mmCIF file with all atom_site columns, all heavy atoms in Angstrom:
data_model
loop_
_atom_site.group_PDB
_atom_site.id
_atom_site.type_symbol
_atom_site.label_atom_id
_atom_site.label_alt_id
_atom_site.label_comp_id
_atom_site.label_asym_id
_atom_site.label_entity_id
_atom_site.label_seq_id
_atom_site.pdbx_PDB_ins_code
_atom_site.Cartn_x
_atom_site.Cartn_y
_atom_site.Cartn_z
_atom_site.occupancy
_atom_site.B_iso_or_equiv
_atom_site.pdbx_formal_charge
_atom_site.auth_seq_id
_atom_site.auth_comp_id
_atom_site.auth_asym_id
_atom_site.auth_atom_id
_atom_site.pdbx_PDB_model_num
ATOM 1  N N   . LEU A 1 124 ? 79.222 52.924 -62.656 1.00 98.00 ? 124 LEU A N   1
ATOM 2  C CA  . LEU A 1 124 ? 77.956 52.914 -61.840 1.00 98.00 ? 124 LEU A CA  1
ATOM 3  C C   . LEU A 1 124 ? 77.315 51.512 -61.914 1.00 98.00 ? 124 LEU A C   1
ATOM 4  O O   . LEU A 1 124 ? 76.762 51.213 -60.875 1.00 98.00 ? 124 LEU A O   1
ATOM 5  C CB  . LEU A 1 124 ? 76.961 54.004 -62.563 1.00 98.00 ? 124 LEU A CB  1
ATOM 6  C CG  . LEU A 1 124 ? 77.354 55.510 -62.193 1.00 98.00 ? 124 LEU A CG  1
ATOM 7  C CD1 . LEU A 1 124 ? 76.294 56.374 -62.663 1.00 98.00 ? 124 LEU A CD1 1
ATOM 8  C CD2 . LEU A 1 124 ? 77.613 55.737 -60.791 1.00 98.00 ? 124 LEU A CD2 1
ATOM 9  N N   . ALA A 1 125 ? 77.251 51.004 -63.098 1.00 98.00 ? 125 ALA A N   1
ATOM 10 C CA  . ALA A 1 125 ? 76.733 49.646 -63.251 1.00 98.00 ? 125 ALA A CA  1
ATOM 11 C C   . ALA A 1 125 ? 77.292 48.574 -62.374 1.00 98.00 ? 125 ALA A C   1
ATOM 12 O O   . ALA A 1 125 ? 76.717 47.728 -61.733 1.00 98.00 ? 125 ALA A O   1
ATOM 13 C CB  . ALA A 1 125 ? 76.554 49.210 -64.658 1.00 98.00 ? 125 ALA A CB  1
ATOM 14 N N   . VAL A 1 126 ? 78.660 48.559 -62.386 1.00 98.00 ? 126 VAL A N   1
ATOM 15 C CA  . VAL A 1 126 ? 79.372 47.557 -61.697 1.00 98.00 ? 126 VAL A CA  1
ATOM 16 C C   . VAL A 1 126 ? 79.352 47.822 -60.091 1.00 98.00 ? 126 VAL A C   1
ATOM 17 O O   . VAL A 1 126 ? 79.222 46.912 -59.373 1.00 98.00 ? 126 VAL A O   1
ATOM 18 C CB  . VAL A 1 126 ? 80.850 47.457 -62.125 1.00 98.00 ? 126 VAL A CB  1
ATOM 19 C CG1 . VAL A 1 126 ? 81.687 46.468 -61.377 1.00 98.00 ? 126 VAL A CG1 1
ATOM 20 C CG2 . VAL A 1 126 ? 80.943 47.151 -63.668 1.00 98.00 ? 126 VAL A CG2 1
ATOM 21 N N   . ALA A 1 127 ? 79.437 49.174 -59.779 1.00 98.00 ? 127 ALA A N   1
ATOM 22 C CA  . ALA A 1 127 ? 79.482 49.527 -58.330 1.00 98.00 ? 127 ALA A CA  1
ATOM 23 C C   . ALA A 1 127 ? 78.118 49.161 -57.768 1.00 98.00 ? 127 ALA A C   1
ATOM 24 O O   . ALA A 1 127 ? 78.030 48.793 -56.527 1.00 98.00 ? 127 ALA A O   1
ATOM 25 C CB  . ALA A 1 127 ? 79.607 51.042 -58.237 1.00 98.00 ? 127 ALA A CB  1
ATOM 26 N N   . ALA A 1 128 ? 76.985 49.217 -58.449 1.00 98.00 ? 128 ALA A N   1
ATOM 27 C CA  . ALA A 1 128 ? 75.691 48.921 -58.043 1.00 98.00 ? 128 ALA A CA  1
ATOM 28 C C   . ALA A 1 128 ? 75.620 47.378 -57.609 1.00 98.00 ? 128 ALA A C   1
ATOM 29 O O   . ALA A 1 128 ? 75.161 47.080 -56.623 1.00 98.00 ? 128 ALA A O   1
ATOM 30 C CB  . ALA A 1 128 ? 74.597 49.182 -59.073 1.00 98.00 ? 128 ALA A CB  1
ATOM 31 N N   . ARG A 1 129 ? 76.186 46.635 -58.670 1.00 98.00 ? 129 ARG A N   1
ATOM 32 C CA  . ARG A 1 129 ? 76.200 45.154 -58.410 1.00 98.00 ? 129 ARG A CA  1
ATOM 33 C C   . ARG A 1 129 ? 77.162 44.835 -57.082 1.00 98.00 ? 129 ARG A C   1
ATOM 34 O O   . ARG A 1 129 ? 76.745 44.008 -56.250 1.00 98.00 ? 129 ARG A O   1
ATOM 35 C CB  . ARG A 1 129 ? 76.727 44.314 -59.613 1.00 98.00 ? 129 ARG A CB  1
ATOM 36 C CG  . ARG A 1 129 ? 76.661 42.844 -59.584 1.00 98.00 ? 129 ARG A CG  1
ATOM 37 C CD  . ARG A 1 129 ? 77.955 42.095 -59.056 1.00 98.00 ? 129 ARG A CD  1
ATOM 38 N NE  . ARG A 1 129 ? 79.123 42.722 -59.617 1.00 98.00 ? 129 ARG A NE  1
ATOM 39 C CZ  . ARG A 1 129 ? 79.678 42.246 -60.777 1.00 98.00 ? 129 ARG A CZ  1
ATOM 40 N NH1 . ARG A 1 129 ? 79.144 41.276 -61.506 1.00 98.00 ? 129 ARG A NH1 1
ATOM 41 N NH2 . ARG A 1 129 ? 80.879 42.762 -61.219 1.00 98.00 ? 129 ARG A NH2 1
ATOM 42 N N   . ASP A 1 130 ? 78.321 45.402 -57.094 1.00 98.00 ? 130 ASP A N   1
ATOM 43 C CA  . ASP A 1 130 ? 79.300 45.119 -56.014 1.00 98.00 ? 130 ASP A CA  1
ATOM 44 C C   . ASP A 1 130 ? 78.628 45.583 -54.608 1.00 98.00 ? 130 ASP A C   1
ATOM 45 O O   . ASP A 1 130 ? 79.030 45.077 -53.638 1.00 98.00 ? 130 ASP A O   1
ATOM 46 C CB  . ASP A 1 130 ? 80.600 45.733 -56.295 1.00 98.00 ? 130 ASP A CB  1
ATOM 47 C CG  . ASP A 1 130 ? 81.253 45.040 -57.483 1.00 98.00 ? 130 ASP A CG  1
ATOM 48 O OD1 . ASP A 1 130 ? 80.872 43.977 -57.905 1.00 98.00 ? 130 ASP A OD1 1
ATOM 49 O OD2 . ASP A 1 130 ? 82.305 45.618 -57.961 1.00 98.00 ? 130 ASP A OD2 1
ATOM 50 N N   . SER A 1 131 ? 77.869 46.609 -54.594 1.00 98.00 ? 131 SER A N   1
ATOM 51 C CA  . SER A 1 131 ? 77.315 47.042 -53.446 1.00 98.00 ? 131 SER A CA  1
ATOM 52 C C   . SER A 1 131 ? 76.340 46.135 -52.822 1.00 98.00 ? 131 SER A C   1
ATOM 53 O O   . SER A 1 131 ? 76.258 45.863 -51.670 1.00 98.00 ? 131 SER A O   1
ATOM 54 C CB  . SER A 1 131 ? 76.605 48.481 -53.686 1.00 98.00 ? 131 SER A CB  1
ATOM 55 O OG  . SER A 1 131 ? 77.503 49.432 -53.964 1.00 98.00 ? 131 SER A OG  1
ATOM 56 N N   . VAL A 1 132 ? 75.443 45.572 -53.715 1.00 98.00 ? 132 VAL A N   1
ATOM 57 C CA  . VAL A 1 132 ? 74.411 44.623 -53.356 1.00 98.00 ? 132 VAL A CA  1
ATOM 58 C C   . VAL A 1 132 ? 75.119 43.378 -52.873 1.00 98.00 ? 132 VAL A C   1
ATOM 59 O O   . VAL A 1 132 ? 74.814 42.826 -51.704 1.00 98.00 ? 132 VAL A O   1
ATOM 60 C CB  . VAL A 1 132 ? 73.482 44.188 -54.582 1.00 98.00 ? 132 VAL A CB  1
ATOM 61 C CG1 . VAL A 1 132 ? 72.677 43.046 -54.263 1.00 98.00 ? 132 VAL A CG1 1
ATOM 62 C CG2 . VAL A 1 132 ? 72.644 45.407 -54.920 1.00 98.00 ? 132 VAL A CG2 1
ATOM 63 N N   . VAL A 1 133 ? 76.134 42.860 -53.519 1.00 98.00 ? 133 VAL A N   1
ATOM 64 C CA  . VAL A 1 133 ? 76.939 41.777 -53.019 1.00 98.00 ? 133 VAL A CA  1
ATOM 65 C C   . VAL A 1 133 ? 77.592 41.952 -51.629 1.00 98.00 ? 133 VAL A C   1
ATOM 66 O O   . VAL A 1 133 ? 77.543 41.129 -50.821 1.00 98.00 ? 133 VAL A O   1
ATOM 67 C CB  . VAL A 1 133 ? 77.941 41.381 -54.061 1.00 98.00 ? 133 VAL A CB  1
ATOM 68 C CG1 . VAL A 1 133 ? 78.963 40.205 -53.535 1.00 98.00 ? 133 VAL A CG1 1
ATOM 69 C CG2 . VAL A 1 133 ? 77.391 40.806 -55.318 1.00 98.00 ? 133 VAL A CG2 1
ATOM 70 N N   . ALA A 1 134 ? 78.162 43.214 -51.424 1.00 98.00 ? 134 ALA A N   1
ATOM 71 C CA  . ALA A 1 134 ? 78.782 43.536 -50.151 1.00 98.00 ? 134 ALA A CA  1
ATOM 72 C C   . ALA A 1 134 ? 77.849 43.567 -49.031 1.00 98.00 ? 134 ALA A C   1
ATOM 73 O O   . ALA A 1 134 ? 78.282 43.368 -47.926 1.00 98.00 ? 134 ALA A O   1
ATOM 74 C CB  . ALA A 1 134 ? 79.524 44.967 -50.402 1.00 98.00 ? 134 ALA A CB  1
ATOM 75 N N   . LEU A 1 135 ? 76.566 43.661 -49.305 1.00 98.00 ? 135 LEU A N   1
ATOM 76 C CA  . LEU A 1 135 ? 75.506 43.743 -48.241 1.00 98.00 ? 135 LEU A CA  1
ATOM 77 C C   . LEU A 1 135 ? 74.766 42.421 -48.239 1.00 98.00 ? 135 LEU A C   1
ATOM 78 O O   . LEU A 1 135 ? 73.669 42.303 -47.673 1.00 98.00 ? 135 LEU A O   1
ATOM 79 C CB  . LEU A 1 135 ? 74.503 44.913 -48.523 1.00 98.00 ? 135 LEU A CB  1
ATOM 80 C CG  . LEU A 1 135 ? 75.234 46.403 -48.266 1.00 98.00 ? 135 LEU A CG  1
ATOM 81 C CD1 . LEU A 1 135 ? 74.237 47.433 -48.648 1.00 98.00 ? 135 LEU A CD1 1
ATOM 82 C CD2 . LEU A 1 135 ? 75.719 46.518 -46.849 1.00 98.00 ? 135 LEU A CD2 1
ATOM 83 N N   . GLY A 1 136 ? 75.400 41.397 -48.799 1.00 98.00 ? 136 GLY A N   1
ATOM 84 C CA  . GLY A 1 136 ? 74.887 40.013 -48.675 1.00 98.00 ? 136 GLY A CA  1
ATOM 85 C C   . GLY A 1 136 ? 73.814 39.621 -49.632 1.00 98.00 ? 136 GLY A C   1
ATOM 86 O O   . GLY A 1 136 ? 73.143 38.567 -49.497 1.00 98.00 ? 136 GLY A O   1
#
Side-chain angles (χ1 to χ4, degrees):
L124 288 183
V126 177
R129 188 268 316 270
D130 291 348
S131 293
V132 167
V133 172
L135 293 173

